[in-house]
Amino acid sequence: MTKLLEIHDLQTQFHTRDGIAKAVDGLSLSLDRGEILGLVGESGSGKSVTGFSILGLVDPPGRVAGGRILFDGEDLVAGGEKAMKKLRGKRIAMIFQDPMMTLNPVLRIDTQMVETVQAHADVSRKAALARARDALVRVGISSPDERLQAYPHQFSGGMRQRVAIAIALLHEPDLIIADEPTTALDVTIQAQILSEMQALCAQSGTALIWITHDLAVVSGLADRLAVMYAGRIIEEGTTAGIISKPMHPYTKGLIESVPQGKEHGTLLRQIKGMTPSLLKLPEGCKFAPRCPRADAACKPEPPLEERETGRRVRCVHPHTEPLAEEAAPT
Ligand SMILES: Nc1ncnc2c1ncn2[C@@H]1O[C@H](COP(=O)(O)OP(=O)(O)O)[C@@H](O)[C@H]1O
Ligand SMILES: [Mg+2]
């Protein structure tokens, strides 16, 4: 069976006054139906641009300059906006960090949801409204009939995000791309929404790409993780495998900088240095300037190689021992 999503050598670039920023540079990735992938990395590593590229939402001065994105076998890059229009909102949906990217402030929720349903399904207003109501119930919104008649500003931030998630679910898409949708919410609501999303995806067989800078957030949710650095994937594997035995020094650093609770009052170990500017990337491994293991062997840039079954790592000096018990997130 074809994979739901296959990305081959994706290149997404921004033409700026100071040069070409290669925000995504040679990214390859695949996703099975119903699978949950956590796309993780520090701010600026190219996570959102990857999500936007899949949905055909990269605006000038940015463009997808190369590669193939196969969705259910269909090449979205070659198909252009015409192919994408048929899929976006129907078979592929996106949830943004800011729900107001989805919601229109001047329209009532029922109007927006009915419009979204009718954009891709030839159904009556009554049937569309019933579907909207059902979606609100599924994301845990009580008194949905009342809520349908409200405007976005009448909701709390958490509720607005739930409505945006309900809208993403309206057509039971095959794939949802969620770009840090819970980052602005408090921890309790964040945890609730995460576990609800997990249940909803399992119910409907929807695959999910959950984008976050916060490894702790996705480690309880995702089947697999892909860790990004400077527009590349530097490590990919099962969540359990990566959390217990990160092989790339960057991944290990990310895991060790997750707060443990029990270390209250002590300083967290942080990865030293800063993310490099895309316009001034070092030769060879892009992480080398920050890496405790870097040496002459880190030039030229290592390829993303399968080091163990299902584990790809872009490093010539990977860690091969499991993390010490006390360092692994609980
Ligand atoms: N509109 C833009 N114009 C110029 N460069 C951009 C633009 N959007 C993104 N970039 C570049 O792409 C990089 C990755 O951005 P992004 O995917 O948003 O990172 P994140 O991993 O935080 O989601 C940024 O650091 C920036 O260099
Ligand atoms: Mg982002």
Side-chain angles (χ1 to χ4, degrees):
M1 202 156 100
T2 52
K3 293 262 180 193
L4 179 65
L5 181 72
E6 264 184 64
I7 305 178
H8 297 285
D9 197 24
L10 178 67
Q11 312 271 347
T12 306
Q13 310 180 339
F14 289 87
H15 289 251
T16 73
R17 264 202 342 229
D18 303 315
I20 298 176
K22 297 181 174 173
V24 177
D25 194 2
L27 179 138
S28 299
L29 190 62
S30 71
L31 196 69
D32 281 323
R33 275 150 235 280
E35 192 176 24
I36 302 185
L37 175 80
L39 192 58
V40 189
E42 286 168 301
S43 174
S45 54
K47 307 180 298 294
S48 295
V49 172
T50 301
F52 289 146
S53 300
I54 297 168
L55 278 153
L57 293 177
V58 178
D59 291 324
R63 68 184 190 102
V64 174
R68 296 195 304 153
I69 301 174
L70 302 177
F71 178 76
D72 212 357
E74 183 184 0
D75 191 335
L76 300 183
V77 177
E81 181 58 18
K82 202 164 151 231
M84 202 54 240
K85 255 211 162 107
K86 279 193 297 182
L87 299 175
R88 203 188 292 134
K90 181 168 168 57
R91 296 194 61 198
I92 312 179
M94 185 144 183
I95 305 169
F96 302 93
Q97 176 167 354
D98 177 0
M100 294 313 286
M101 295 267 291
T102 303
L103 300 175
N104 184 330
V106 301
L107 293 182
R108 276 183 10 183
I109 300 299
D110 51 1
T111 312
Q112 308 193 33
M113 293 185 81
V114 166
E115 262 176 22
T116 309
V117 173
Q118 289 182 330
H120 291 289
D122 189 15
V123 295
S124 68
R125 182 183 148 79
K126 197 168 161 218
L129 205 54
R131 209 193 275 190
R133 185 185 187 282
D134 181 51
L136 291 183
V137 172
R138 282 166 67 196
V139 298
I141 290 181
S142 50
S143 24
D145 295 307
E146 211 173 294
R147 294 304 198 162
L148 276 167
Q149 293 177 32
Y151 290 87
H153 73 261
Q154 294 172 287
F155 292 75
S156 67
M159 275 297 168
R160 272 203 285 269
Q161 195 55 286
R162 277 174 202 269
V163 175
I165 293 170
I167 289 177
L169 293 169
L170 279 174
H171 293 283
E172 299 211 329
D174 297 302
L175 172 63
I176 294 179
I177 300 173
D179 190 359
E180 316 225 19
T182 59
T183 306
L185 305 176
D186 80 57
V187 201
T188 325
I189 295 175
Q190 186 168 317
Q192 259 174 26
I193 290 185
L194 276 168
S195 69
E196 283 164 13
M197 280 298 290
Q198 199 172 25
L200 289 168
C201 285
Q203 259 171 37
S204 56
T206 300
L208 178 64
I209 298 179
W210 192 277
I211 294 175
T212 181
H213 66 278
D214 189 344
L215 199 81
V217 166
V218 274
S219 56
L221 171 80
D223 304 309
R224 243 168 1 109
L225 295 177
V227 183
M228 283 190 77
Y229 191 82
R232 294 143 170 78
I233 291 177
I234 54 96
E235 182 156 15
E236 189 198 333
T238 64
T239 305
I242 288 190
I243 295 293
S244 60
K245 192 175 95 176
M247 296 180 77
H248 197 290
Y250 175 67
T251 315
K252 184 166 181 282
L254 275 186
I255 292 175
E256 286 171 346
S257 60
V258 170
Q260 298 296 307
K262 56 193 167 206
E263 295 175 14
H264 223 68
T266 60
L267 274 177
L268 288 175
R269 267 181 282 186
Q270 291 291 352
I271 303 170
K272 67 169 188 180
M274 292 198 351
T275 44
S277 155
L278 290 178
L279 298 174
K280 277 182 256 144
L281 286 180
E283 246 186 275
C285 171
K286 307 308 164 208
F287 184 62
R290 301 172 71 184
C291 183
R293 299 196 147 199
D295 63 20
C298 304
K299 283 176 200 171
E301 183 176 17
L304 188 61
E305 269 184 322
E306 182 143 16
R307 288 280 175 171
E308 289 178 359
T309 313
R311 179 75 68 90
R312 297 193 297 160
V313 189
R314 191 188 287 280
C315 181
V316 288
H317 301 303
H319 292 272
T320 52
E321 296 298 317
L323 265 191
E325 192 92 344
E326 69 274 15
T330 41

